[in-house]
Amino acid sequence: PDDRLAIMVHSKDPQLASLFNLQTSQQRAVGSQIVNNGNGANQMPTYTVDTYGDIEFPVLGTLHIGGMTRPQVAEYIKKEIMQRNLVKDPTVIVDFYNRTVNVLGEVKAPGKIDINRDRFTVLDAIAEAGDLTIDGRRTNVIVLRQEDGRQVAHTIDLTNSQATAASPVYYLQQNDV
């Protein structure tokens, strides 16, 4: 819930594909590029996943995508379009728009980090934050995560590569700290 997704459908017939693509009043889709119509904003139109894990998708209606990965959402939408005989050759691209983690403490550049790929690790986040400072405790890195409605602290020892890779928080999720 509350994930924002940019979803674009492409086809050999751009007019058919355009039925499935959101457009803002400030932009229009041209091929696979977004053209900015004026005010400097270069933002894709997005879908927000509701509390039930659903989005309202043009032509297809309500789609339940809760719990799916980005590639699973793309494949699901592609199958729905093809099964309903709406487009024969759709290509569906799905990107997350608001996936971030916060990196705090003894790093060179603490702050909010964008998760820019599907498998984003705690090591990726530390690297994006400029690495640990000389005072950073590599044996006591804490990742905070919301689990079952409560915040849980997981400790990672970066000096033990096997334990780090086996940690349940090695791959970061939206809103981890």
Side-chain angles (χ1 to χ4, degrees):
D2 297 326
D3 278 349
R4 287 180 49 216
L5 306 172
I7 303 173
M8 293 293 293
V9 177
H10 300 282
S11 170
K12 290 178 185 172
D13 185 342
Q15 284 185 321
L16 277 178
S18 70
L19 296 173
F20 302 98
N21 295 321
L22 292 178
Q23 293 185 8
T24 66
S25 60
Q26 300 163 347
Q27 299 174 346
R28 58 186 169 80
V30 177
S32 63
Q33 295 183 331
I34 296 299
V35 177
N36 185 0
N37 285 344
N39 70 356
N42 197 16
Q43 216 175 20
M44 290 271 299
T46 59
Y47 299 86
T48 301
V49 180
D50 69 17
T51 56
Y52 305 105
D54 299 335
I55 60 170
E56 286 298 321
F57 199 78
V59 182
L60 300 179
T62 302
L63 299 177
H64 182 72
I65 60 168
M68 292 183 186
T69 64
R70 188 181 57 78
Q72 288 171 331
V73 171
E75 186 62 26
Y76 173 56
I77 292 172
K78 178 179 179 175
K79 282 183 181 177
E80 285 292 315
I81 291 171
M82 290 173 66
Q83 284 177 353
R84 297 181 193 190
N85 292 321
L86 299 168
V87 179
K88 290 181 182 180
D89 62 343
T91 300
V92 180
I93 300 168
V94 178
D95 279 319
F96 289 106
Y97 237 61
N98 64 331
R99 292 187 62 205
T100 60
V101 295
N102 291 301
V103 180
L104 307 171
E106 287 295 328
V107 292
K108 290 183 183 170
K112 191 171 284 207
I113 305 287
D114 289 328
I115 299 175
N116 55 11
R117 56 191 168 275
D118 289 333
R119 296 170 60 91
F120 192 81
T121 70
V122 67
L123 299 175
D124 293 327
I126 291 170
E128 291 281 331
D131 203 2
L132 293 169
T133 67
I134 194 72
D135 296 321
R137 293 182 49 204
R138 285 146 180 80
T139 59
N140 191 32
V141 174
I142 298 171
V143 176
L144 302 176
R145 176 173 289 168
Q146 288 289 326
E147 295 177 359
D148 298 323
R150 60 186 179 86
Q151 193 165 44
V152 178
H154 297 269
T155 303
I156 298 175
D157 178 356
L158 295 179
T159 64
N160 182 337
S161 60
Q162 286 183 331
T164 297
S167 170
V169 293
Y170 179 68
Y171 291 105
L172 297 178
Q173 297 177 2
Q174 167 76 0
N175 296 326
D176 280 352
V177 179

